[in-house]
């Protein structure tokens, strides 16, 4: 049994359609996969449809982007959310609308910096998905403004780069509450990407977060160990996932290579609110 609890599709900034992702998961021996797109659940049902004939189980998921003044971005994964919760879907729609305006603002800033990029090219990359920075990076690469995605990030789009624009503000606690309001369980994503992750885990542990993503490509050994200690302290479920968006630059495919500890999936499922889903 191979489980991967963090993946993206073309419904957000992944490069494979839900059906293509399921085919790759099958090839990689993944038996359970959480689809955790940014601010949308549109990829989940198509993934379930494709997964059914492959014998793969899909966990309905989401990745929300929260922010703190002191410690920057904090991403929150939600699992076993009720896809039909209308208040939840309304909030996701607001985040997506904000992403549209923020995407336009980033392109304006790029234009001011001398990068002649059309917002239409970004929209073409997103193809209806919420606008994320990787879509902008892809449009820049396609137009010859950067040799590859990472260079576009390093020179223009990274959090500390000149074309960065913030998203709508939501605190990590609000992200936890929003996931809970849709019957889901909330897991702090990739602490290795948050410099002050210990301070955030202290906050979230006291706020009722359900878990922390210990096994992730951005978590080094020290982060894994410390996050696991803090998980024990706050009685959190430790999870894992590859955060697959596309094959890496060197061709490596991470999908299915970052496992949650044994029992994590069952623990998450047990903590989620019961649904009518069969
Ligand atoms: P956004 O939610 O639009 O701010 O975009 C965030 C996404 O951009 C993340 O989920 C990553 O996929 C990607 N990303 C963020 N920072 C970097 C970076 N420095 N280098 C490469 N990719 C990044
Ligand atoms: Mn992403
Ligand atoms: Mn993330
Ligand atoms: Mn992710």
């Amino acid at each position: 049994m191979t489980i991967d609890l963090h993946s993206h599709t073309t419904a957000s900034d992944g490069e494979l359609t839900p059906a293509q992702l399921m085919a790759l998961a099958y090839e990689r021996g993944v038996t359970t996969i959480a689809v955790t797109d940014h601010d949308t659940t549109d990829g989940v049902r198509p993934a379930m449809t494709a997964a059914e004939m492959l014998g793969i189980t899909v966990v309905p998921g989401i990745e929300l982007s929260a922010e703190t003044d002191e410690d920057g971005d904090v991403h929150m994964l939600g699992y076993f959310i009720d896809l039909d919760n209308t208040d939840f879907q309304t909030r996701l729609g607001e985040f997506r609308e904000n992403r549209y305006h923020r995407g336009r603002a980033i392109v304006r800033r790029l234009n001011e910096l001398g990068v002649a990029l059309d917002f239409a090219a970004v929209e073409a990359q997103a193809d209806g998905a919420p606008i994320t920075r990787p879509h902008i990076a892809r449009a820049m690469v396609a137009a010859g403004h950067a040799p590859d995605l990472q260079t576009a990030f390093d020179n223009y789009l990274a959090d500390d780069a000149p074309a960065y624009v913030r998203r709508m503000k939501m605190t990590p606690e609000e992200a936890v509450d929003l996931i809970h309001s849709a019957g889901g369980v909330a897991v702090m994503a990739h602490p290795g990407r948050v410099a002050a992750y210990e301070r955030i885990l202290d906050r979230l542990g006291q706020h009722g977060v359900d878990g922390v993503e210990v096994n992730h490509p951005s978590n080094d050994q020290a982060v894994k160990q410390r996050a696991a200690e803090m998980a024990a302290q706050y009685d959190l479920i430790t999870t894992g996932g590859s955060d697959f968006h596309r094959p890496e630059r060197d061709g490596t495919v991470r999908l299915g290579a970052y496992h949650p500890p044994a029992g994590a999936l069952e623990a998450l499922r047990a903590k989620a609110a019961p649904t009518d889903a069969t």
Side-chain angles (χ1 to χ4, degrees):
M1 182 143 141
T2 301
I3 303 170
D4 192 322
L5 293 177
H6 193 157
S7 72
H8 296 269
T9 75
T10 48
S12 70
D13 59 346
E15 291 185 10
L16 301 185
T17 64
Q20 287 169 337
L21 182 69
M22 293 309 114
L24 181 63
Y26 182 78
E27 205 177 287
R28 304 268 306 160
V30 175
T31 47
T32 297
I33 181 167
V35 173
T36 54
D37 278 310
H38 301 283
D39 296 344
T40 178
T41 59
D42 286 356
V44 173
R45 283 201 171 98
M48 285 174 167
T49 303
E52 200 173 351
M53 46 197 158
L54 300 172
I56 296 173
T57 302
V58 173
V59 175
I62 192 80
E63 183 171 17
L64 300 177
S65 305
E67 214 184 341
T68 65
D69 287 334
E70 321 76 44
D71 300 319
D73 272 19
V74 177
H75 292 182
M76 198 66 59
L77 296 161
Y79 297 113
F80 298 108
I81 42 178
D82 172 14
L83 300 176
D84 297 320
N85 184 303
T86 47
D87 290 342
F88 182 71
Q89 292 294 347
T90 300
R91 283 305 298 284
L92 294 187
E94 289 165 10
F95 299 149
R96 294 194 294 264
E97 188 178 334
N98 168 259
R99 282 184 171 281
Y100 175 84
H101 295 291
R102 177 247 200 175
R104 295 197 78 115
I106 290 176
V107 170
R108 271 198 302 278
R109 208 166 276 193
L110 285 169
N111 294 161
E112 285 158 18
L113 292 163
V115 178
L117 188 72
D118 281 334
F119 186 66
V122 175
E123 284 188 294
Q125 288 291 341
D127 194 22
I131 308 280
T132 67
R133 281 181 282 164
H135 294 122
I136 301 172
R138 266 145 63 180
M140 289 175 70
V141 172
H145 296 296
D148 54 50
L149 291 189
Q150 194 56 54
T151 309
F153 266 95
D154 292 346
N155 292 346
Y156 294 101
L157 301 171
D159 294 12
D160 53 359
Y164 179 70
V165 176
R166 299 166 81 140
R167 289 176 311 267
M168 184 164 119
K169 200 138 172 220
M170 170 171 57
T171 67
E173 285 85 352
E174 284 169 333
V176 170
D177 293 347
L178 184 55
I179 288 163
H180 285 165
S181 76
V185 286
V187 172
M188 182 190 171
H190 44 65
R193 285 212 205 133
V194 181
Y197 72 89
E198 293 180 85
R199 192 155 56 198
I200 299 294
L201 272 174
D202 273 323
R203 273 171 65 166
L204 290 173
Q206 289 164 46
H207 193 79
V209 78
D210 302 288
V212 56
E213 189 177 46
V214 167
N215 196 13
H216 181 281
S218 295
N219 295 350
D220 65 20
Q221 213 45 52
V223 169
K224 283 183 195 180
Q225 192 180 329
R226 183 65 191 129
E229 282 168 16
M230 293 191 71
Q233 181 190 342
Y234 288 109
D235 197 19
L236 309 181
I237 300 163
T238 54
T239 73
S242 66
D243 207 353
F244 180 81
H245 289 71
R246 66 188 71 82
E248 302 311 302
R249 265 195 291 197
D250 64 3
T252 315
V253 173
R254 288 174 171 168
L255 189 70
Y258 291 81
H259 307 140
L265 176 66
E266 294 73 17
L268 293 170
R269 191 182 276 127
K271 270 201 118 179
T275 59
D276 304 334
T278 47

